[in-house]
Amino acid sequence: MPPVLNVKICIDRDLGIFTTKELRSGTCVSELSAQLAQDDPTGRACTDDFALARAGTIEALDGCTEITEELTDLEILTVSQPNAVIKQTKTTNAAMVRPTAAARLQLLVPSEVVEYRVLQRNLVKKPGRDPAGDKAVKLMRRVGSIMFTTGRTWTGSQGGEWVELDSFVEKPGWLLVQGPGFGIPGPIPERVIPDDSPPMLLRVAKPVDVASALEEDRDLRDVVLKQNSTVRDAKEWIALLFGLSDPRKIIVGNPSARGYNSYSSGNSFHIKSVDGLLEDSTFLVDAGFHDGDELLYVYTGDLEKTFEGKEPSWHGRLGTTPKPKAKSKEMHGMGKYPELQMHFKTLKLSPSAPPNSIKRHYRQLALECHPDKHPDNIEAATQQFQAVKAAYEAIRDKLQL
């Protein structure tokens, strides 16, 4: 059996980007090009996009050339290399490789990596490259963990905000940041602000009927809270996670008073009573909370009227909902200007989309279908780009965006 060779491939010498492949001696260069195409996170590259040469040379190898011990240091030719010589072979089309190789390789390394912190343990993801796809799956991730994204966002037809995952770190797809329709109210992940102080991770227990509660059955959840968060912020997160009807009916205990007892009164349901209460305006850090602490609280409302996944009806940082605005905007776009229907359809947008979302979505769509991004099919790309541009301009002018 032929020996296995470690083949070093230079992707970009200036940036110092290399990759290594384990190949059996005798493997054809065309097979290596096919593997590189499969590794492309955009899913758009093909074998013909990769012309390989010996390291330090500018003459492309024939696709039938075999990998040997003397040929284990290669590099990918791009149009940025002056005088690159790309031979016409059965597996290499010179007319295709020279104009497209550089464009494909630019997509191999994301220009920006934006971190998002997981705020709720259940996440919603749309697999693949197209955020408009119908398929959506639920994931479970540890609260407080980090998801890597490209920073590109997309607004769905129902107003949900999605962010594209960085396929170098995560499996390709789009992650729901916030939006209706999936039974997870409030922000799900949150964009990490560079140089911001690390947040606290506090634990809270799901409220239960004290009469039937057992200590070992307590359902503890993690809550991410910033260093400047107040008791009111913690109450809103508790109400959001457990579907409580009013955060004002939550009483938070002082962390310095560790003694607590079960408490019940009439039809009110709580988890614990504590010694020492905190005002809503109190900063959690000033109250003495530390990362990993349990936040003890009492809920004085009726648990029979609550359920997880309920959209909050109360007002606050987490409780405000865009539903009334969406309805008003839909009347503005479709009711007043029904002729815009086909233009919203061209942009793959709901007429209820907020103005800023329309602008962002148009910019992203225009960039994706711009003829410069499709040198192999310029005519079709030009037609699509012009249609998208005309649709946006019609909406912009009517709605005065």
Side-chain angles (χ1 to χ4, degrees):
M1 182 177 292
V4 176
L5 305 175
N6 287 321
V7 181
K8 182 180 179 182
I9 304 140
C10 174
I11 296 176
D12 191 313
R13 192 169 297 279
D14 294 335
L15 295 177
I17 302 173
F18 295 84
T19 187
T20 302
K21 293 288 184 182
E22 291 186 353
L23 301 171
R24 292 201 176 276
S25 178
T27 300
C28 293
V29 168
S30 61
E31 295 180 47
L32 175 56
S33 296
Q35 290 190 28
L36 293 171
Q38 292 177 355
D39 292 343
D40 175 23
T42 68
R44 302 170 187 170
C46 60
T47 302
D48 290 339
D49 289 335
F50 296 89
L52 294 165
R54 291 178 182 271
T57 68
I58 58 173
E59 183 173 345
L61 296 167
D62 189 283
C64 297
T65 303
E66 295 184 350
I67 302 295
T68 64
E69 292 183 358
E70 292 74 31
L71 192 62
T72 56
D73 194 1
L74 306 175
E75 66 179 276
I76 300 172
L77 293 177
T78 72
V79 293
S80 62
Q81 293 168 292
N83 303 318
V85 179
I86 302 176
K87 296 180 180 179
Q88 183 91 16
T89 70
K90 293 180 180 180
T91 59
T92 305
N93 185 311
M96 290 180 60
V97 175
R98 295 197 62 184
T100 62
R104 298 297 191 217
L105 291 173
Q106 288 173 2
L107 295 172
L108 284 173
V109 181
S111 58
E112 181 184 14
V113 175
V114 179
E115 297 181 0
Y116 273 73
R117 182 175 287 109
V118 175
L119 301 182
Q120 301 193 51
R121 62 183 183 180
N122 292 318
L123 305 177
V124 180
K125 173 185 174 182
K126 287 193 173 186
R129 311 291 177 186
D130 184 9
D134 294 331
K135 183 178 180 181
V137 296
K138 285 195 175 183
L139 310 175
M140 289 195 69
R141 293 292 186 269
R142 181 175 56 83
V143 172
S145 61
I146 297 297
M147 302 289 286
F148 288 82
T149 80
T150 65
R152 295 175 59 204
T153 59
W154 175 80
T155 301
S157 59
Q158 300 300 316
E161 180 185 350
W162 301 77
V163 64
E164 183 183 37
L165 292 169
D166 172 22
S167 57
F168 275 85
V169 181
E170 316 285 353
K171 291 184 179 180
W174 293 75
L175 193 66
L176 179 64
V177 177
Q178 185 170 1
F182 295 95
I184 311 177
I188 305 174
E190 178 182 58
R191 182 167 179 159
V192 175
I193 300 175
D195 301 325
D196 205 2
S197 300
M200 285 191 301
L201 202 65
L202 299 183
R203 310 207 75 191
V204 295
K206 183 177 181 178
V208 294
D209 181 355
V210 173
S212 59
L214 296 175
E215 183 69 22
E216 58 269 22
D217 294 335
R218 289 204 305 155
D219 181 4
L220 286 169
R221 308 283 180 87
D222 292 322
V223 178
V224 176
L225 292 160
K226 296 181 179 180
Q227 295 291 334
N228 61 350
S229 294
T230 64
V231 170
R232 170 67 188 191
D233 296 326
K235 288 183 177 183
E236 289 192 11
W237 266 112
I238 294 170
L240 187 77
L241 289 177
F242 303 122
L244 307 182
S245 59
D246 191 345
R248 294 174 300 179
K249 295 183 179 180
I250 297 172
I251 302 172
V252 175
N254 192 324
S256 62
R258 287 299 175 186
Y260 56 81
N261 299 289
S262 299
Y263 175 78
S264 177
S265 175
N267 292 325
S268 296
F269 298 90
H270 326 70
I271 57 161
K272 300 290 178 184
S273 66
V274 297
D275 299 324
L277 306 177
L278 296 175
E279 297 291 335
D280 279 5
S281 59
T282 304
F283 289 103
L284 295 172
V285 173
D286 293 343
F289 284 101
H290 299 90
D291 190 56
D293 284 349
E294 180 181 351
L295 186 147
L296 304 176
Y297 72 96
V298 174
Y299 179 57
T300 62
D302 189 345
L303 289 183
E304 292 183 353
K305 297 181 179 179
T306 67
F307 59 89
E308 290 186 44
K310 181 175 71 174
E311 290 288 342
S313 56
W314 39 269
H315 296 284
R317 291 185 182 180
L318 302 176
T320 54
T321 170
K323 284 184 177 180
K325 291 184 179 180
K327 183 177 180 181
S328 173
K329 183 60 66 175
E330 181 173 359
M331 292 177 61
H332 179 68
M334 291 295 294
K336 191 173 181 180
Y337 302 110
E339 67 272 19
L340 294 181
Q341 181 175 3
M342 60 182 227
H343 299 305
F344 277 105
K345 187 175 181 180
T346 299
L347 294 184
K348 301 177 182 179
L349 275 175
S350 167
S352 63
N356 287 339
S357 297
I358 296 174
K359 294 179 179 179
R360 294 191 192 102
H361 183 71
Y362 162 69
R363 184 178 184 277
Q364 179 180 322
L365 194 60
L367 287 173
E368 289 176 355
C369 66
H370 195 281
D372 289 348
K373 296 287 184 71
H374 303 275
D376 300 334
N377 198 2
I378 292 179
E379 184 176 350
T382 300
Q383 292 178 355
Q384 184 181 2
F385 177 77
Q386 290 175 343
V388 167
K389 186 172 184 291
Y392 171 72
E393 290 177 348
I395 295 172
R396 179 194 62 193
D397 296 343
K398 279 290 184 182
L399 302 185
Q400 299 180 350
L401 299 182

